[in-house]
Amino acid sequence: MDKLKQIEKLRDKALAELKRVDSLEAAAAWRSAYLGRKGALTQLLRGLGRVPATERPRLGQLGNELKVDLEEAYAEILPNLKQAALRRSLEMERVDVTLPGRPLGPGRLHLSTQILREIYAIFAQMGFQVEETPEVELDEYNFTLLNIPPYHPARDMWSSFYTTDNRVLLRTHTSPGQIRVMRRYAPEPIRVMLPGKCYRYEQVTARSEIQFHQVEGLAVGRQISMADLKGVLIEFARQMFGEETRVRFRASHFPFTEPSAEMDIECFLCGGQGCRVCKHTGWLEILGSGMVHPQVLTNGGYDPQIFSGFAFGMGPERIAMLKYRIDDIRYFFISDLRFLEQF
Ligand code: PHE
């Protein structure tokens, strides 16, 4: 077939096909089929090298004209195709604003947080304010300044997680906060609650976790007696466990209080008769307490001749366990919604 006819045929074919193009993808395919580097027209123009020299300029010119015509025809249909594509994607991605939303389940406070807040509220009525103290503590504050010198056997009561620096540990109780707030406020009187996480390097069981919360209470002033300690803690027990709650104070020992006492509440499961939960004693231990040891007052910057104080420490998880009859402390930190959603 002579070249002239070939050019004309190609024009007819390309334009006929372009009429049927109905999408941007098809347009791109068409363009590369005719005008691309390996496209039909490009091939044909390349073949002109073998045509007799006399015909070459004319054929070359016709070929180039066809190229310009095809480019123009292509450019002409493009805006419509783009419009159509845009319309289609707007249609497909249309947001139906009348559709009801998918509800987000409301979050809730962790049980430990709920109990902590109950504790704050009760003591706040009695003038105690919340203060924060460090969770990563110096051994000195956690023990030594609380009257527990290095190598003292009382340290065995608090098995510790030390860091690579053996002067630094994860606090085993909130009591080091006593020293911190005393040093922060001495010689002003103080009445504070010191909540936070504590850690002990112990076997995890149903009754003990390596991580738990404590709330420390501390009051320091000029006229504070053991009667104040008892009054405050009895009031706390009544508000937390009910007006009728009976409590008892049992002599105990902590190196940083003297005298020391643990407070028990009457077992509300058996009403004091004795059952499995109270280990047949009729009583449930809920906190440790005592009058701040004179050495600890001194370490905090208060003159024990002038100042006295009381302190107590309790575990909100333990209180929650008693209040809601939870039989395993591990439920608190395994993030199982079936447990957490009940509170
Ligand atoms: N820190 C003690 C403990 O963890 C509790 C306590 C606090 C006792 C304050 C007396 C005074 O067991």
Side-chain angles (χ1 to χ4, degrees):
M1 202 195 314
D2 76 38
K3 286 284 173 192
L4 199 63
K5 272 210 182 117
Q6 272 185 38
I7 292 175
E8 282 317 305
K9 257 193 101 173
L10 191 63
R11 173 190 297 274
D12 292 345
K13 188 165 171 251
L15 292 177
E17 242 173 67
L18 189 62
K19 281 217 176 81
R20 271 176 274 128
V21 161
D22 62 355
S23 70
L24 282 174
E25 296 74 32
W30 178 89
R31 189 164 195 239
S32 97
Y34 291 98
L35 299 165
R37 268 199 298 129
K38 290 187 182 149
L41 180 57
T42 320
Q43 302 283 2
L44 191 137
L45 290 176
R46 234 177 249 149
L48 290 182
R50 291 189 298 272
V51 184
T54 49
E55 289 179 40
R56 215 178 290 152
R58 205 170 80 84
L59 287 172
Q61 196 195 344
L62 283 173
N64 279 328
E65 274 171 24
L66 176 55
K67 189 169 176 184
V68 171
D69 290 349
L70 292 186
E71 290 282 11
E72 272 173 8
Y74 171 79
E76 218 165 276
I77 66 160
L78 213 54
N80 279 336
L81 291 176
K82 279 192 180 151
Q83 272 293 328
L86 181 63
R87 258 199 312 276
R88 217 173 311 129
S89 87
L90 285 176
E91 185 64 33
M92 267 162 45
E93 291 161 24
R94 192 174 60 188
V95 175
D96 179 356
V97 292
T98 67
L99 217 69
R102 265 172 240 140
L104 273 180
R108 66 189 68 225
L109 296 173
H110 189 279
L111 177 55
S112 298
T113 308
Q114 292 182 33
I115 295 284
L116 278 167
R117 292 193 179 182
E118 267 182 64
I119 296 171
Y120 302 159
I122 294 170
F123 286 106
Q125 295 168 15
M126 298 187 267
F128 289 77
Q129 293 181 303
V130 174
E131 289 262 341
E132 286 195 42
T133 53
E135 204 167 308
V136 179
E137 226 349 324
L138 291 170
D139 176 283
E140 190 191 3
Y141 281 76
N142 196 81
F143 292 124
T144 316
L145 292 168
L146 291 173
N147 224 8
I148 317 168
Y151 307 110
H152 191 285
R155 289 200 180 203
D156 288 351
M157 284 169 78
W158 298 278
S159 323
S160 311
F161 284 110
Y162 281 88
T163 62
T164 46
D165 180 337
N166 65 8
R167 290 166 306 176
V168 180
L169 46 65
L170 300 181
R171 66 173 168 204
T172 57
H173 52 178
T174 42
S175 300
Q178 290 187 29
I179 303 287
R180 297 216 171 253
V181 288
M182 281 193 268
R183 291 188 171 180
R184 211 175 278 166
Y185 292 109
E188 298 297 321
I190 42 182
R191 234 183 281 175
V192 290
M193 287 173 271
L194 314 173
K197 285 203 197 88
C198 302
Y199 303 84
R200 288 188 197 170
Y201 186 50
E202 281 174 0
Q203 178 79 40
V204 175
T205 68
R207 337 184 104 250
S208 67
E209 255 288 4
I210 58 171
Q211 172 196 275
F212 55 94
H213 290 88
Q214 275 193 349
V215 182
E216 193 85 3
L218 174 69
V220 177
R222 286 165 189 267
Q223 305 281 337
I224 292 180
S225 72
M226 187 102 187
D228 296 311
L229 164 88
K230 291 179 76 175
V232 164
L233 293 178
I234 291 168
E235 179 59 21
F236 164 72
R238 292 207 175 124
Q239 291 204 32
M240 182 56 97
F241 297 102
E243 270 315 309
E244 303 304 309
T245 310
R246 299 207 318 144
V247 307
R248 74 172 181 189
F249 287 84
R250 203 165 20 79
S252 181
H253 172 75
F254 300 100
F256 35 92
T257 47
E258 179 57 36
S260 304
E262 282 172 291
M263 184 170 83
D264 298 340
I265 56 172
E266 193 172 56
C267 180
F268 39 67
L269 281 176
C270 59
Q273 296 305 300
C275 67
R276 242 181 28 143
V277 173
C278 59
K279 296 205 208 94
H280 304 285
T281 62
W283 296 95
L284 299 164
E285 179 206 320
I286 61 164
L287 56 82
S289 65
M291 300 306 292
V292 182
H293 193 287
Q295 184 60 54
V296 174
L297 282 172
T298 306
N299 294 344
Y302 290 86
D303 180 350
Q305 300 295 333
I306 303 171
F307 288 92
S308 56
F310 66 78
F312 57 86
M314 65 180 89
E317 282 83 26
R318 175 159 173 79
I319 290 174
M321 286 171 79
L322 295 175
K323 217 174 153 161
Y324 298 111
R325 328 239 156 123
I326 299 160
D327 59 9
D328 195 322
I329 195 174
R330 287 170 289 196
Y331 286 128
F332 284 84
F333 300 111
I334 53 175
S335 302
D336 186 336
L337 289 179
R338 290 169 304 177
F339 171 74
L340 296 173
E341 279 175 355
Q342 295 178 49
F343 305 99

